Amino acid sequence: MKIDFSHKQAAHCENGVVSNLMRHNGFDVSEPMVFGIGSGLLFSYLPFIKVNYAPVFTYRVLPGLVFNRFAKRVGVKVKREKFRNPKNAKARLDENLKNNNPVGLQVGVYNLIYFPDEYRFHFNAHNMVVYGKKEDRYLISDPVMERVTSLTEKQLEKVRFAKGAFAPKGHMYYPTAFPEKLELESAIVKGIRQTCRDMTAPVPIVGVKAMRWVAKNIRKWPKKIGQKKTNHYLGQIVRMQEEIGTGGGGFRYIYAAFLQEAAVVINNEKLKEFSKEMTEIGDLWRDFALDASRIYKNRSGESDGYNKIADQLVIIANREENFFKRLKKVV
Amino acid sequence: MKKKEVPQDKSNLEKANIKDMVYAVDENGEYTTALSTGWEPKSIALDNAIKDIEERTAAAKARFFNNESSSIEYYMELHKMDIPILASYVGLWQWRVKRHLKPSVFRKLSTKTLQKYADVFEISIDQLKNID
């Protein structure tokens, strides 16, 4: 069985799955729109959780949150199911496919055979759509891939029941009820407000405060943990910024694209200016990554560039703080 | 980022025929999407991360042959795992997995426990006991 499903590549997996599932159900919502309404943008630093022997840095909200917030704000109902037993998980999936219902799945990347080996880490918050089954192969629309692909029953079971942090436990989700017309206007305003609130929150681990904390640590790390480890951490910061399989995806640019699109939908010219500004901030993040990479290119260390990139990060934090404080006032 | 500035550097994505999709602005300042073959700062970071794992795997192998550590540590590193991840795959407490890294404890493990590890690493028990 094969459901007539149109695959569209996305910059980020969760946005892509939501956008593709919405389009399948007759609602054309772009990836940036999903990301903006779902308040996907964030910065967070979790020094007490280690992944690949480095602390967690993230530029986006927790997996699953984008779809939940988006759905709530536009009036779509989402059903989510998790399973203990792989057999039940497979049966429920097959049932949905039989009913012509493509579903989103949360999966682990480590056993995803169509990714290059180098990209296969134990990262468990990847998302894909299953839209059919041919003999014993499931038809897969993975939003980070240009084209659709497929996995055997065994291969799919393995990625659905990957273990470790954020284990997917067969997690399957799909929209079940839609409004007649999507309430985009109010949803956009709600989405923007929440992002402004999160980014300027008075907590050290999220938003601009977390960026400043990282900057402070970058200055300390070379002495405290040595240059080799510091460089490893810097590499992790850059890889989380945008990389397949880590949940990254150049989020500042996606957000700028959202603001540009939102300006037209809610008829607010000011958002276009904000979009331009967010693009500039995205460029600053890329400069930061480039300068950080110049340091860790030489793995042994011997660089005095740490203070310089910490300064850059502080500048970005100041720009973003100023940006979100003003953005809050125009919506 | 402007569309014409989207990086097209060499990366490991090529092998699998994957390209990154990114958002960038065109000549009129409108947002659009473009495909990227890779970006050097990311490739270097990934290469370094892989080299780190290779070094840790080699060190674990050396420790095995010096009788300082069991083969489980080597296979754990080979599969890019750490103790919490391995413990969750074999379904044991972390402190037990940690103990199993000791050669003296490993030698006394039951076939049943060995099989659990062998299954996770997708090898036979004989292979688990030795490193080629």
Side-chain angles (χ1 to χ4, degrees):
Chain A
M1 70 205 118
K2 185 183 167 196
I3 302 166
D4 191 16
F5 185 82
S6 78
H7 169 82
K8 207 172 157 193
Q9 195 182 359
H12 180 251
C13 62
E14 189 180 348
N15 305 333
V17 163
V18 177
S19 171
N20 283 341
L21 284 177
M22 289 300 291
R23 191 154 21 81
H24 179 77
N25 287 289
F27 298 94
D28 216 337
V29 189
S30 71
E31 174 187 5
M33 211 27 116
V34 170
F35 185 67
I37 291 177
S39 303
L41 194 79
L42 194 70
F43 184 86
S44 185
Y45 173 42
L46 309 172
F48 33 84
I49 306 179
K50 296 274 197 300
V51 172
N52 300 322
Y53 301 94
V56 172
F57 309 93
T58 171
Y59 294 74
R60 42 131 332 141
V61 296
L62 281 175
L65 223 51
V66 171
F67 195 9
N68 278 353
R69 286 170 173 172
F70 170 83
K72 202 173 151 200
R73 287 171 187 159
V74 299
V76 169
K77 285 219 166 64
V78 182
K79 186 163 164 72
R80 291 181 180 275
E81 294 177 69
K82 283 193 180 183
F83 305 88
R84 276 235 172 125
N85 184 338
K87 260 190 196 145
N88 297 344
K90 182 181 168 290
R92 285 290 295 149
L93 172 62
D94 290 346
E95 210 178 309
N96 271 291
L97 295 176
K98 213 173 254 170
N99 293 335
N100 253 331
N101 186 29
V103 295
L105 293 183
Q106 183 194 336
V107 297
V109 172
Y110 186 67
N111 283 305
L112 216 46
I113 41 121
Y114 52 77
F115 272 16
D117 277 352
E118 292 83 353
Y119 289 78
R120 286 164 53 183
F121 285 87
H122 294 274
F123 172 76
N124 283 332
H126 188 57
N127 291 275
M128 56 162 66
V129 171
V130 183
Y131 68 97
K133 197 178 179 186
K134 244 185 196 164
E135 278 131 41
D136 84 319
R137 289 189 85 85
Y138 284 101
L139 308 177
I140 310 286
S141 151
D142 186 322
V144 302
M145 306 285 286
E146 265 182 279
R147 282 174 207 90
V148 289
T149 171
S150 69
L151 290 173
T152 65
E153 288 183 359
K154 185 101 206 193
Q155 289 164 343
L156 187 67
E157 183 182 310
K158 251 181 145 175
V159 293
R160 289 183 80 187
F161 285 89
K163 301 280 166 56
F166 296 112
K169 299 193 173 105
H171 189 180
M172 176 170 95
Y173 56 91
Y174 46 91
T176 50
F178 303 90
E180 260 175 45
K181 192 181 165 285
L182 294 187
E183 288 297 328
L184 284 187
E185 291 86 349
S186 61
I188 286 171
V189 173
K190 274 185 200 153
I192 291 179
R193 279 197 187 137
Q194 169 146 33
T195 300
C196 293
R197 208 161 51 232
D198 289 352
M199 286 303 297
T200 55
V203 241
I205 57 166
V206 295
V208 295
K209 283 226 154 77
M211 287 153 61
R212 291 191 186 118
W213 193 13
V214 174
K216 219 179 192 171
N217 282 351
I218 290 177
R219 294 179 214 276
K220 282 190 203 156
W221 282 335
K223 275 212 181 107
K224 213 171 139 196
I225 56 171
Q227 280 176 329
K228 192 169 178 226
K229 225 170 169 185
T230 307
N231 291 356
H232 177 59
Y233 286 8
L234 290 181
Q236 179 102 332
I237 297 181
V238 171
R239 290 182 55 222
M240 289 302 157
Q241 196 169 327
E242 40 177 313
E243 175 138 289
I244 285 178
T246 62
F251 295 120
R252 265 60 191 170
Y253 294 128
I254 306 181
Y255 202 73
F258 157 70
L259 290 173
Q260 193 173 65
E261 203 183 329
V264 182
V265 180
I266 65 169
N267 204 359
N268 185 336
E269 276 298 308
K270 280 184 189 148
L271 288 190
K272 282 195 179 154
E273 289 307 310
F274 277 99
S275 165
K276 268 188 207 152
E277 225 179 288
M278 188 38 85
T279 307
E280 285 167 30
I281 293 174
D283 291 341
L284 289 179
W285 274 108
R286 281 182 88 85
D287 293 342
F288 167 78
L290 192 64
D291 290 337
S293 76
R294 291 207 176 104
I295 298 177
Y296 61 67
K297 199 172 191 172
N298 177 2
R299 277 173 85 223
S300 55
E302 286 167 50
S303 167
D304 51 0
Y306 298 108
N307 280 324
K308 194 189 148 215
I309 58 165
D311 290 342
Q312 276 172 288
L313 198 51
V314 171
I315 292 171
I316 298 175
N318 293 344
R319 288 262 326 238
E320 289 203 357
E321 182 173 35
N322 177 282
F323 177 93
F324 287 107
K325 277 188 173 159
R326 280 182 294 123
L327 179 62
K328 200 178 193 170
K329 288 187 187 130
V330 303
V331 290
Chain B
M1 182 170 52
K2 300 210 170 61
K3 196 176 174 181
K4 55 177 193 286
E5 290 166 0
V6 170
Q8 305 295 347
D9 301 344
K10 260 186 128 44
S11 79
N12 287 315
L13 287 175
E14 256 165 302
K15 277 191 291 193
N17 227 340
I18 297 180
K19 279 182 189 151
D20 270 333
M21 201 179 103
V22 293
Y23 283 80
V25 282
D26 65 14
E27 309 82 43
N28 306 319
E30 295 293 321
Y31 259 96
T32 174
T33 59
L35 292 174
S36 162
T37 54
W39 191 36
E40 208 194 2
K42 283 198 295 181
S43 310
I44 303 171
L46 182 59
D47 283 351
N48 286 349
I50 300 284
K51 275 182 208 144
D52 267 353
I53 291 170
E54 282 167 0
E55 278 171 18
R56 271 201 302 273
T57 311
K61 194 174 185 173
R63 272 199 294 279
F64 169 76
F65 286 115
N66 284 335
N67 208 18
E68 290 163 13
S69 164
S70 79
S71 56
I72 290 178
E73 188 188 5
Y74 166 77
Y75 284 109
M76 174 180 89
E77 295 290 359
L78 189 68
H79 287 264
K80 299 180 187 162
M81 293 178 175
D82 53 17
I83 291 193
I85 294 173
L86 178 57
S88 119
Y89 268 99
V90 287
L92 298 172
W93 295 99
Q94 288 187 32
W95 62 268
R96 289 195 64 194
V97 173
K98 219 179 252 173
R99 256 171 53 88
H100 296 165
L101 301 191
K102 284 188 194 161
S104 55
V105 179
F106 180 81
R107 263 178 245 125
K108 287 183 213 145
L109 287 183
S110 67
T111 316
K112 202 179 143 201
T113 312
L114 288 173
Q115 191 61 51
K116 277 187 188 170
Y117 284 104
D119 286 345
V120 168
F121 299 133
E122 296 185 312
I123 48 178
S124 68
I125 291 184
D126 278 343
Q127 283 170 305
L128 179 68
K129 286 182 175 167
N130 291 295
I131 298 175
D132 331 309

